[in-house]
Amino acid sequence: MTLFAATLSATLAGVAGGKLADVIGDERVLFGALAISPVFLIVGLHDSSLLCLISLMVGFAFLQASTPVTTAMAQRRCPDSRSMVSSLSNGVSWGIANLFVTPVGIIADIVGLQATLNVVAFLPWIVTILYTGRRLFKK
């Protein structure tokens, strides 16, 4: 039931994220979702009530809301190769994620699952900080 709820919220968020990006802009949705998702993921990791499930669902939803936005951004940059760039953006994302599954699993075995998930939950903030820094240096 928990996995179904998290998957359903993430699926609906992907649709909502794409629609929202059409209204307020790709970058705002992408980095807004990445900036807010850790808040909910961290709360979900430190609670044991129904708030845990709801918070994790919202955190996963925010992460998933950015997925169609990145694909659309890539397709806009290469309009004559939309299928290829869509495959590349999704393939690279999943490929990099899969490269880190084993090291993260090993770390979880050594330091514990809770501590590892806490660190992983902060990763979207690293991307947000790097992006913000890059934008500031361009100005």
Side-chain angles (χ1 to χ4, degrees), residues 84-130:
M84 183 182 70
V85 78
S86 175
S87 298
L88 282 172
S89 66
N90 284 312
V92 168
S93 299
W94 283 102
I96 290 172
N98 286 326
L99 285 174
F100 283 94
V101 168
T102 301
V104 169
I106 291 169
I107 293 168
D109 286 342
I110 295 169
V111 300
L113 184 59
Q114 185 74 24
T116 304
L117 289 176
N118 282 320
V119 171
V120 170
F122 281 100
L123 292 178
W125 279 342
I126 293 171
V127 173
T128 305
I129 290 167
L130 291 173

Side-chain angles (χ1 to χ4, degrees), residues 20-71:
L20 188 60
D22 290 340
V23 175
I24 67 169
D26 295 337
E27 288 186 1
R28 286 183 176 175
V29 171
L30 177 63
F31 291 100
L34 290 176
I36 199 165
S37 63
V39 173
F40 292 99
L41 295 173
I42 293 163
V43 168
L45 291 171
H46 293 280
D47 197 299
S48 59
S49 65
L50 181 61
L51 178 64
C52 170
L53 174 63
I54 293 169
S55 184
L56 288 174
M57 285 173 55
V58 172
F60 292 142
F62 273 112
L63 286 176
Q64 187 60 32
S66 66
T67 301
V69 177
T70 57
T71 301

